[in-house]
Amino acid sequence: MQNEVLKAIQFRRSVFQANFTDEEVSREEIMTILEAANAAPTHKRTQPWRFVIFRNEGLLRLGDELARIYKSITPAEKYTEATEQNMAKKATQSNVAIAIVVNYTGDVPEWEEIAATACAVENMWLAAYSIGVGGYWATPGMINHIGPFLNLEPNQRCIGFFYLGKHQSEEREPVRNPIEDKIRWEE
């Protein structure tokens, strides 16, 4: 495929922590990814996306908080210490974790703010792919309880974490049903 934009759209994939190497994702690479996010479309220019970036010791604090939330919200009959430890470990298996936050402005319907923020995340994914960084968007149930830790304002909501890391995974084609199964022409 010769068009680099279309190639990035076709070959961008979730790359999970098990495939991350120990190589650092630099601050400059993170800023490149975030600048791409900032170019997302937004109705009335509300630019509702906000990001909290965790690196180094910040990842440890995030992991501890995810484990604490898991322990505090999980019913005793479903709680396991192994899962609590996994919650803490998951954050630190990445080089970078970015909390994805929607800043509801009230200027447009909430779904439009979510859609704009999702567009920003897709731009992050494409930018990361283009510079050899892997990532994925995780939406653990704990995000509904992490607002105080992130110092979110009443009009803000965390909608997930975008985990980033260098990797050496092979490109792979998407597994999708044919587009013809999903369209109807009205001519």
Side-chain angles (χ1 to χ4, degrees), residues 120-145:
V121 174
E122 179 67 5
N123 281 6
M124 290 168 60
W125 230 323
L126 294 170
Y129 167 84
S130 77
I131 61 173
V133 175
Y136 74 100
W137 184 351
T139 55
M142 277 79 63
I143 61 173
N144 295 323
H145 305 276

Side-chain angles (χ1 to χ4, degrees), residues 35-55:
E35 287 291 346
N38 203 38
T42 171
H43 186 194
K44 293 191 178 183
R45 296 189 190 122
T46 60
Q47 303 173 57
W49 46 84
R50 301 292 185 270
F51 305 105
V52 181
I53 298 93
F54 294 91
R55 294 176 63 195

Side-chain angles (χ1 to χ4, degrees), residues 38-176:
N38 203 38
T42 171
H43 186 194
K44 293 191 178 183
R45 296 189 190 122
T46 60
Q47 303 173 57
W49 46 84
R50 301 292 185 270
F51 305 105
V52 181
I53 298 93
F54 294 91
R55 294 176 63 195
N56 307 317
E57 295 298 316
L59 288 169
L60 295 172
R61 288 190 301 276
L62 175 62
D64 289 346
E65 181 63 9
L66 292 173
R68 187 199 66 75
I69 292 170
Y70 167 79
K71 187 173 184 177
S72 72
I73 67 170
T74 304
E77 65 275 6
K78 293 184 178 183
Y79 169 85
T80 67
E81 189 174 334
T83 302
E84 180 184 352
Q85 291 171 354
N86 251 0
M87 289 296 147
K89 190 171 124 183
K90 190 168 190 166
T92 60
Q93 289 175 321
S94 298
N95 198 259
V96 179
I98 301 174
I100 304 161
V101 176
V102 179
N103 184 66
Y104 297 110
T105 64
D107 293 339
V108 297
E110 285 186 0
W111 74 265
E112 290 188 25
E113 305 282 41
I114 293 169
T117 303
C119 287
V121 174
E122 179 67 5
N123 281 6
M124 290 168 60
W125 230 323
L126 294 170
Y129 167 84
S130 77
I131 61 173
V133 175
Y136 74 100
W137 184 351
T139 55
M142 277 79 63
I143 61 173
N144 295 323
H145 305 276
I146 201 151
F149 176 76
L150 297 175
N151 296 315
L152 297 186
E153 297 176 14
N155 64 314
Q156 296 178 329
R157 181 171 161 236
C158 179
I159 60 171
F161 291 98
F162 197 73
Y163 292 104
L164 294 171
K166 296 285 181 88
H167 67 99
Q168 296 176 342
S169 304
E170 295 292 322
E171 285 188 345
R172 60 190 195 280
E173 299 236 7
V175 178
R176 301 285 188 271

